[in-house]
């Protein structure tokens, strides 16, 4: 499918029209009942054209047989109810990443639910959506392989009052390790990946295909919702010739700002909402370059401008503030503090015993096995906490806490500029970050690195809120 078709199929022209006419007014009231979300998701095998027409199709695992799975869209405050049916030959679960939901709906096998059995097992996920924003869903069992074969999709929770834009589009970024016939290389869980940067692939897709272009029209204002669904790849996107504004991170509104160094950096599982004004010239193409790994920069795709403009100049209306989400504000003066140290990895004192058992990483000095669910911390329900995360390794780690969002208040001892709310914080090698939140959601919550190969080789723990 071309982007054009996708754009046309995507949703209501009526909504696009309403948004377009409201552009410039700051915030627009979205018409209600956007896109009816499907009431079920079937996880199954399928063949899809990932790598383009020059290659054979790729056998994947996908929700509803597509990669990414269906884009789920709800309104803030609505209830999500989805029956997941597992038609795969492996057990699975679904985790709705970033949603502050009841523990029993969190999708963690052996911790919050029994696995959904292979060949026909079912489970109904049902919960309210308290916060607006860009989220995603993926399995939480055998994640390196299941996500790596294509099981993931976007979940968008729309604000009642959204920034006025001409188009609102999701880019789900995927990363694949393919052979010359475009087949997925099945070396999941190898120790080389686990003890280094994780399974970084050789083929990057946007919405399930290698893309040449994304069509835009001069003068239009886009909201681009970026989701990094890769196992391990970190993206650093540079929109050449454009000046995108970051308006939300991990779903949560942030003071609108230009990304640091002009690059939008997204570790695995992280999201960013961008406001992008199409200020280029009709008929021209502008590359979007991913140069996170500086020696291996490549062109993700081109923003290609149609011959005729949508309007003479981009809608310049004031950008009204988005309303904050519903997290309680942590009381920093009274917060209890804890430190969590992440260790291990190649060149970082990998535990020798661990190497023998396939564990490469440690949390507070010990490698934690995939189904060891003794909590490393017990937090008092309703109390404020500051956790200091210490990355005592030579590698990047996107650290994710379930069931909560947290403010990043400091990095390497210095206050952060935006005090952004996140659910996944990317720690650079040797970096320290302080996060603050109210432990307001009772239950046993996973807490892990979202480089999936790191997660299952020791960099994972449970935090109890009770
Ligand atoms: Cu996105 Cu524990 O996961
Ligand atoms: Cu990691």
């Amino acid at each position: 499918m071309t982007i054009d078709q996708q754009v046309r199929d995507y949703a209501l022209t009526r909504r696009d029209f309403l948004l377009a006419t409201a552009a410039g007014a700051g915030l627009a009231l979205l018409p209600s009942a956007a896109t009816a979300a499907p009431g079920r998701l079937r996880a199954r095998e399928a063949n899809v054209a990932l790598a383009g027409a020059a290659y054979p199709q790729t056998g994947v695992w996908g929700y509803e047989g597509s990669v990414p799975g269906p884009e789920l869209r709800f309104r803030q405050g609505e209830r999500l109810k989805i029956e997941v049916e597992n038609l795969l030959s492996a057990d699975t679960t679904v985790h709705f990443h970033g949603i502050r939901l009841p523990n029993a709906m969190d999708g963690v096998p052996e911790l919050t639910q029994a696995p959904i059995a292979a060949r026909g097992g079912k489970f109904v996920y049902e919960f309210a959506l308290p916060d607006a924003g860009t989220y995603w869903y993926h399995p939480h069992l055998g994640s390196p392989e299941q996500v790596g074969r294509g099981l993931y999709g976007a979940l968008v929770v729309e604000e009642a009052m959204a920034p006025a834009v001409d188009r609102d589009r999701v880019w789900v970024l995927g990363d694949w390790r393919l052979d010359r016939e475009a087949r997925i290389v099945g070396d999941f869980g190898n120790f080389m990946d686990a003890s280094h940067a994780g399974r970084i692939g050789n083929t990057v897709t946007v919405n399930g295909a290698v893309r040449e272009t994304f069509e835009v029209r001069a003068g239009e204002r886009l909201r681009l919702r970026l989701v990094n669904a890769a196992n391990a790849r970190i993206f650093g996107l540079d929109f050449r010739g454009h000046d995108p504004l970051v308006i939300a991170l991990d779903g949560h509104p942030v003071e609108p700002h230009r990304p640091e160094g002009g690059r939008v950096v997204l570790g695995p599982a992280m999201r960013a909402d961008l406001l992008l004004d199409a200020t280029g010239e009709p008929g021209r193409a502008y590359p979007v370059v991913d140069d996170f790994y500086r020696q291996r920069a490549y062109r993700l795709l081109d923003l290609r401008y149609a011959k005729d403009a949508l309007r003479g100049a981009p809608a310049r209306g004031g950008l009204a503030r988005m309303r904050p989400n519903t997290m309680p504000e942590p009381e920093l003066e009274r917060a209890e503090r804890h430190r969590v140290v992440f260790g291990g990895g190649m060149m970082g004192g990998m535990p020798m015993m661990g190497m023998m058992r396939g564990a490469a990483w440690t949390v507070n000095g010990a490698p934690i096995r995939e189904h060891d669910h003794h909590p490393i911390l017990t937090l008092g329900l309703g109390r404020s906490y500051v956790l200091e995360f210490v990355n005592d390794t030579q590698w990047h780690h996107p650290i994710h806490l379930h069931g909560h969002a947290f403010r990043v208040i400091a990095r390497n001892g210095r206050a952060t500029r935006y005090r952004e709310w996140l659910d996944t914080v990317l720690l650079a090698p040797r970096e320290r970050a302080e996060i603050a939140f109210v432990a307001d959601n009772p239950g046993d919550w996973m807490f892990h690195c979202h480089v999936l190969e790191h997660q299952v080789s020791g960099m994972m723990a449970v935090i109890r809120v009770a």
Side-chain angles (χ1 to χ4, degrees):
M1 198 192 295
T2 68
I3 285 277
D4 266 342
Q5 281 163 332
Q6 205 174 20
V7 161
R8 256 181 275 120
D9 292 352
Y10 166 78
L12 313 176
T13 349
R14 193 178 100 84
R15 182 220 273 164
D16 287 346
F17 173 74
L18 283 173
L19 290 178
T21 54
L27 289 177
L29 190 62
L30 289 175
S32 59
T35 313
R40 74 172 172 186
L41 281 177
R42 288 165 300 189
R44 63 178 176 84
E45 295 183 17
N47 293 310
V48 301
L50 275 188
Y55 293 90
Q57 293 202 329
T58 301
V60 300
W61 297 359
Y63 294 111
E64 295 301 307
S66 72
V67 175
E71 183 178 308
L72 307 178
R73 284 216 174 223
F74 291 86
R75 306 293 305 282
Q76 185 173 11
E78 282 182 342
R79 283 183 82 75
L80 171 155
K81 182 173 182 181
I82 290 171
E83 181 182 73
V84 172
E85 187 176 359
N86 181 10
L87 302 176
L88 302 167
S89 56
D91 293 357
T92 194
T93 63
V94 177
H95 171 59
F96 293 86
H97 182 117
I99 305 289
R100 299 186 307 123
L101 41 63
N103 193 251
M105 293 291 124
D106 201 36
V108 180
E110 315 305 348
L111 185 67
T112 71
Q113 69 169 95
I116 309 173
R119 298 179 202 85
K122 291 180 180 171
F123 188 88
V124 177
Y125 292 93
E126 183 178 7
F127 47 85
L129 297 160
D131 302 312
T134 306
Y135 303 92
W136 66 300
Y137 58 97
H138 63 79
H140 220 287
L141 201 172
S143 316
E145 174 166 19
Q146 296 200 8
V147 174
R149 290 193 185 277
L151 287 167
Y152 51 75
L155 165 59
V156 173
V157 184
E158 299 176 342
E159 305 86 2
M161 294 288 287
V165 294
D166 297 303
R167 280 193 294 155
D168 173 334
R169 290 293 178 271
V170 181
W171 286 5
V172 181
L173 304 171
D175 180 31
W176 309 78
R177 188 175 290 171
L178 302 180
D179 69 14
R180 289 171 188 284
E181 268 71 61
R183 289 175 303 221
I184 294 172
V185 179
D187 60 344
F188 295 99
N190 71 72
F191 196 71
M192 181 71 176
D193 286 343
S195 60
H196 292 74
R199 180 183 173 95
I200 293 183
N202 52 21
T203 305
V204 169
T205 56
V206 178
N207 296 339
V210 174
R211 307 273 172 194
E212 284 305 315
T213 60
F214 179 81
E215 310 290 332
V216 299
R217 294 179 68 189
E220 77 173 330
R221 173 169 279 185
L222 286 126
R223 178 176 185 167
L224 276 188
R225 301 170 183 264
L226 308 179
V227 179
N228 183 353
N231 283 31
R233 181 183 288 275
I234 302 169
F235 291 89
L237 300 185
D238 179 358
F239 290 74
R240 299 272 162 91
H242 293 76
D243 205 9
L245 205 56
V246 178
I247 58 171
L249 293 169
D250 287 1
H252 305 291
V254 62
E255 184 183 325
H257 62 275
R258 309 287 171 206
E260 202 184 317
R263 297 198 298 173
V264 183
V265 173
L266 281 184
M270 298 170 70
R271 290 88 65 212
D273 287 32
L274 307 181
L275 206 72
L276 183 78
D277 280 327
T279 49
E281 286 172 31
R284 278 193 57 184
Y286 299 81
V288 177
V289 172
D290 174 10
D291 61 358
F292 183 81
Y293 307 100
R294 300 273 180 186
Q295 306 309 315
R296 293 196 226 142
Y298 65 96
R299 188 178 57 90
L300 180 71
L301 46 65
D302 282 340
L303 297 180
R304 198 175 65 203
Y305 279 71
K307 292 267 179 303
D308 32 59
L310 177 66
R311 59 175 74 83
R316 276 292 177 217
L319 172 65
R321 280 274 162 127
M322 287 156 75
R323 284 182 51 190
N325 274 327
T326 62
M327 289 78 68
E329 194 61 48
E331 293 179 44
L332 294 183
E333 319 71 47
R334 300 168 56 189
E336 192 175 302
R337 300 178 67 94
H338 294 275
R339 167 179 281 206
V340 182
V341 180
F342 301 95
M346 215 34 104
M347 304 177 295
M350 185 163 39
M352 278 313 287
M353 281 311 295
M355 275 189 79
M356 330 271 317
R357 293 167 26 206
W361 306 94
T362 59
V363 179
N364 284 346
I368 298 179
R369 310 287 291 173
E370 188 171 3
H371 297 296
D372 175 352
H373 292 324
H374 295 292
I376 59 158
L377 279 176
T378 297
L379 309 183
L381 183 61
R383 297 189 53 179
S384 293
Y385 289 88
V386 172
L387 304 186
E388 185 187 24
F389 295 161
V390 180
N391 179 1
D392 197 16
T393 81
Q394 302 282 34
W395 305 89
H396 284 86
H397 303 289
I399 302 296
H400 173 45
L401 174 64
H402 285 209
H404 298 77
F406 47 78
R407 277 194 189 279
V408 181
I409 58 171
R411 285 182 183 270
N412 291 330
R414 294 185 48 191
T416 56
R417 176 146 178 211
Y418 302 110
R419 305 179 75 247
E420 59 273 24
W421 287 103
L422 300 179
D423 56 56
T424 306
V425 58
L426 183 62
L427 300 179
R430 305 289 168 194
E431 191 178 26
R432 289 177 292 132
E434 286 172 50
I435 67 153
F437 65 105
V438 178
D440 66 340
N441 200 354
D444 283 356
W445 299 104
M446 293 299 299
F447 165 65
H448 61 86
C449 179
H450 222 289
V451 171
L452 301 174
E453 293 72 27
H454 294 178
Q455 177 193 349
V456 299
S457 55
M459 201 172 267
M460 156 164 70
V462 168
I463 291 183
R464 174 167 294 168
V465 176

